[in-house]
Amino acid sequence: MEKRIVIKVGSNVLTRSDGKLDVTRMSALVDQVAWLRKNGMEVILVSSGAVACGRRELTVDHALGHTLDSVEQRQLFSAVGQVKLVGLYYDLFREYGIHVGQVLTMKENFEPGEQYSNQRACMAVMLENGVLPIVNENDTVSVTELMFTDNDELSGLIAQMMAADTLILLSNIDGIYTSHPDDPDAKLIEKVLPGQDLSQFIQPEKSAFGRGGMHSKYTTASKLQQAGIRVIIANGERDNILPDLMERPALTPHTEFKATL
């Protein structure tokens, strides 16, 4: 059986400093995913970026004659941006002859029952037929109390649903540090063994453009580690990070939650 990998790409990886989508980095990540597939790995991509993509298309202050609240903005940007985002992925993966399929989901779809089974069956048949699933939350219909905490949580649920071997969480830093990464004395924690508690090193702060942060990544990684799934937190802004993690992980800075001793 092929190795099955879920890759979550966060908003801070896919966006520039001004909050707009970084198409150059997106293209580089597509190149790397194509390499993984060529080397016999099944990949499910959980991608943020729809809101950033929509914001790039629309400027609320100039394009609209009225003010939108935060939920309305998210719905609008997501509805417009999801089309653009998947269109970009379609064009980029087509260069490698890779077919992509969109999976928009909600938290209720992960409750036991028909919706859970249908979603799992849909992604399974996509993988069986060489189609790359691109997953995101359906922000156009999700409301605050029913939303995922962030796409870290979503990717963890997808990894469990699809019995993945590994979940890779791409952030804009190399992993979990013993103190703030800007601290010159901070050290990267490279290996996390089952049962090892790192909560003292985690600050519950959110990322600049997403809803998550290192706290959500740690929570997701700890849950999946207990379920026997390896989790890697790595820097998606590094060149060739995905192939390097698979080929020479000892030389690539990252934090790995080992699933077994």
Side-chain angles (χ1 to χ4, degrees), residues 7-20:
I7 300 169
K8 181 262 180 175
V9 187
S11 294
N12 273 359
V13 177
L14 289 177
T15 52
R16 307 181 319 209
S17 59
D18 60 3
K20 294 182 179 180

Side-chain angles (χ1 to χ4, degrees), residues 43-58:
V43 178
I44 299 171
L45 183 62
V46 178
S47 178
S48 302
V51 173
C53 211
R55 187 181 290 114
R56 184 183 187 187
E57 293 292 298
L58 298 172

Side-chain angles (χ1 to χ4, degrees), residues 51-72:
V51 173
C53 211
R55 187 181 290 114
R56 184 183 187 187
E57 293 292 298
L58 298 172
T59 304
V60 172
D61 292 339
H62 295 87
L64 302 176
H66 59 281
T67 302
L68 299 176
D69 66 26
S70 58
V71 174
E72 290 175 326

Side-chain angles (χ1 to χ4, degrees), residues 85-136:
L85 182 69
V86 172
L88 285 169
Y89 276 126
Y90 173 84
D91 289 338
L92 292 168
F93 277 114
R94 185 174 57 177
E95 297 296 316
Y96 290 97
I98 296 174
H99 297 287
V100 301
Q102 177 177 254
V103 178
L104 293 178
T105 188
M106 298 184 295
K107 202 164 189 176
E108 62 191 52
N109 294 342
F110 290 89
E111 296 294 329
E114 185 177 0
Q115 292 184 41
Y116 182 94
S117 299
N118 287 344
Q119 181 170 270
R120 181 173 58 188
C122 173
M123 285 193 286
V125 76
M126 291 168 73
L127 292 171
E128 288 167 7
N129 287 276
V131 176
L132 174 71
I134 299 177
V135 187
N136 200 0

Side-chain angles (χ1 to χ4, degrees), residues 192-211:
V192 183
L193 299 177
Q196 186 176 351
D197 184 9
L198 301 185
S199 57
Q200 61 179 313
F201 304 122
I202 309 296
Q203 297 297 320
E205 58 187 17
K206 296 181 179 180
S207 62
F209 298 112
R211 300 203 307 272

